[in-house]
Amino acid sequence: YLREAGASEIATDDTGTLLEGSTLKDDDNAAARFVRVRCPSTGREYALRVPPTVQTAREGVAWTFGVEATDYHPAQET
């Protein structure tokens, strides 16, 4: 999907890569943002949809857990 949406990299950090793709018609034409992450145990990659206001991958992943980026410090990743 990311390839088809023409997603391009916005930012990368130790959490993942923030990407933005073309607008989605069913989303009030908002730009579609995703964080591409890798599962540390399986190595599989996933794309997490995040709000278009997200500026970093860390902020996007933190948003999926309902916390601020400054408060996102997982003790263990599985």
Side-chain angles (χ1 to χ4, degrees):
Y1 171 79
L2 296 174
R3 210 174 301 119
E4 289 180 21
S8 59
E9 188 175 309
I10 295 174
T12 299
D13 59 35
D14 61 331
T15 308
T17 302
L18 181 65
L19 303 148
E20 183 172 275
S22 59
T23 59
L24 299 176
K25 293 176 186 166
D26 62 341
D27 240 355
D28 296 326
N29 291 321
R33 286 205 174 176
F34 301 86
V35 177
R36 186 174 52 218
V37 295
R38 181 181 303 271
C39 175
S41 60
T42 66
R44 293 183 71 182
E45 287 191 353
Y46 297 92
L48 309 172
R49 178 82 189 269
V50 296
T53 56
V54 166
Q55 298 296 309
T56 67
R58 176 171 290 283
E59 181 184 356
V61 172
W63 175 84
T64 68
F65 291 102
V67 298
E68 297 294 321
T70 54
D71 297 327
Y72 178 71
H73 303 288
Q76 180 178 356
E77 294 183 12
T78 59

